[in-house]
Amino acid sequence: MSIHTQARKVTTQTLQEMKHAGEKITMLTAYDYSLAKLVDRSGVDIILVGDSAANVMAGHDTTVPITLDHMIYHAQCVQKAVDRALIVVDMPFGTYQGNSRTALDSAIRIMKEAAGHAVKLEGGSEVVESIERILTAGIPVMGHLGLTPQSIYKFGTYTVRAKEDEEAQKLITDAKLLEAAGCFAIVLEKIPSGLAKQVSESVEIPTIGIGAGGDCDGQVLVLHDMLGITTDFSPRFLRRYLNLEEQIEGAVKQFCEDVRAKDFPNQDESY
Ligand code: KIV
């Protein structure tokens, strides 16, 4: 039986074992109770309460504005729904950069108030002090390298990162640094697949890719993107498994028509 099937609760240890056994790890985002319940029941290994909630839940252009209170609220909703998956909560912009004490306080709030299982931080050497401090409190940390959306105003675009040798070398060094610091996994976002393969082979901890090719130890997508609820975002790496936009709009139009035609509610739907 696979490690995935055997695990009644996914832990950081389960993920490590999956990497060593060559079993791919699955991760999806969720931000609310109802969808988190469906995602967990469907057997995903990691549920990420991503700061992409800033985009898909709140309609912001970037992930920068979301606050720690917002993230804790989303994580609380998700936590109530999840029995099996490991819940990783993104630390929002401004809660860990530059001050490891603030980072620790923010991570502790996530663990205490939302009962998350782990936190995720964007960046390499720039944030390693914060990562180390959070780890001293026994809080598991997932790293995130490559395209780090919280730094959008530094990059200027959401295009593929680390195509040039210098940036690729820094990414490899950062991945090793995060592993040595004690991170249990690293997200690799939007980098060339050859580089992602090289990183995945040079660290013992699992890599989870998004737009980073098929050689990462696992894959992550934003749930609303893969379900086709958000359709204004269409990067090459995104596979849409449903077209819910069309189905939801169709259902809402039908409801309006039925009410206007005095067809809803009918006798059977009334008391
Ligand atoms: O916030 C998020 O959804 C993420 C994923 C894209 C990895 O960080």
Side-chain angles (χ1 to χ4, degrees), residues 27 29 31 48-53 63 90 120 122 144 149 187 189 210 220 222:
M27 170 158 132
T29 61
Y31 322 100
L48 173 67
V49 184
D51 61 355
S52 49
T63 57
D90 260 340
K120 175 163 81 61
E122 293 182 8
H144 184 151
V187 165
E189 180 162 355
I210 174 162
V220 55
V222 169

Side-chain angles (χ1 to χ4, degrees), residues 5-271:
T5 323
Q6 270 176 313
R8 289 183 51 216
K9 277 212 181 283
V10 179
T11 65
T12 57
Q13 186 59 34
T14 317
L15 305 174
Q16 189 64 63
E17 287 167 14
M18 286 174 79
K19 168 157 180 151
H20 283 136
E23 268 182 45
K24 293 285 187 186
I25 297 164
T26 56
M27 170 158 132
L28 285 171
T29 61
Y31 322 100
D32 69 283
Y33 175 83
S34 305
L35 286 179
K37 207 173 184 69
L38 296 180
V39 172
D40 188 47
R41 257 198 239 151
S42 310
V44 81
D45 299 309
I46 307 172
I47 293 186
L48 173 67
V49 184
D51 61 355
S52 49
N55 310 116
V56 296
M57 292 279 108
H60 294 295
D61 287 340
T62 74
T63 57
V64 171
I66 201 160
T67 66
L68 186 57
D69 285 339
H70 292 144
M71 290 304 298
I72 288 173
Y73 168 74
H74 287 297
Q76 284 168 338
C77 300
V78 167
Q79 187 275 330
K80 287 201 185 76
V82 174
D83 284 330
R84 179 183 173 278
L86 184 83
I87 304 172
V88 179
V89 184
D90 260 340
M91 296 190 61
F93 177 70
T95 61
Y96 60 92
Q97 295 95 338
N99 183 336
S100 62
R101 178 70 231 185
T102 308
L104 178 60
D105 290 343
S106 312
I108 287 176
R109 278 198 62 199
I110 289 172
M111 301 302 279
K112 275 183 98 83
E113 295 176 37
H117 304 149
V119 295
K120 175 163 81 61
L121 280 71
E122 293 182 8
S125 54
E126 314 78 15
V127 296
V128 78
E129 199 184 309
S130 293
I131 290 176
E132 280 166 349
R133 190 130 182 206
I134 293 169
L135 285 163
T136 61
I139 301 172
V141 177
M142 177 181 268
H144 184 151
L145 298 173
L147 176 63
T148 47
Q150 292 178 12
S151 309
I152 179 60
Y153 293 110
K154 175 178 153 198
F155 296 144
T157 70
Y158 289 108
T159 51
V160 181
R161 303 301 315 170
K163 286 208 290 207
E164 307 303 328
D165 197 47
E166 197 182 331
E167 197 181 337
Q169 286 311 319
K170 174 169 166 27
L171 194 141
I172 295 168
T173 309
D174 278 343
K176 289 182 180 160
L177 195 64
L178 295 186
E179 176 178 43
C183 286
F184 71 89
I186 306 172
V187 165
L188 298 176
E189 180 162 355
K190 231 173 170 187
I191 60 170
S193 49
L195 176 61
K197 182 174 193 287
Q198 200 182 336
V199 172
S200 304
E201 285 169 357
S202 48
V203 293
E204 291 294 314
I205 55 174
T207 59
I208 315 287
I210 174 162
D215 290 307
C216 294
D217 303 302
Q219 295 293 329
V220 55
L221 285 175
V222 169
L223 185 68
H224 289 62
D225 297 338
M226 61 88 83
L227 294 180
I229 299 175
T230 45
T231 53
D232 43 1
F233 177 68
S234 280
R236 185 205 298 197
F237 68 74
L238 174 60
R239 186 177 294 182
R240 284 195 207 288
Y241 288 83
L242 279 177
N243 184 356
L244 275 188
E245 180 188 61
E246 211 173 276
Q247 285 176 271
I248 291 171
E249 278 183 16
V252 171
K253 277 184 192 149
Q254 189 61 54
F255 165 77
C256 294
E257 266 177 40
D258 291 353
V259 171
R260 287 174 191 135
K262 300 184 183 156
D263 174 67
F264 176 80
N266 62 23
Q267 285 261 293
D268 291 345
E269 289 157 340
S270 305
Y271 298 96

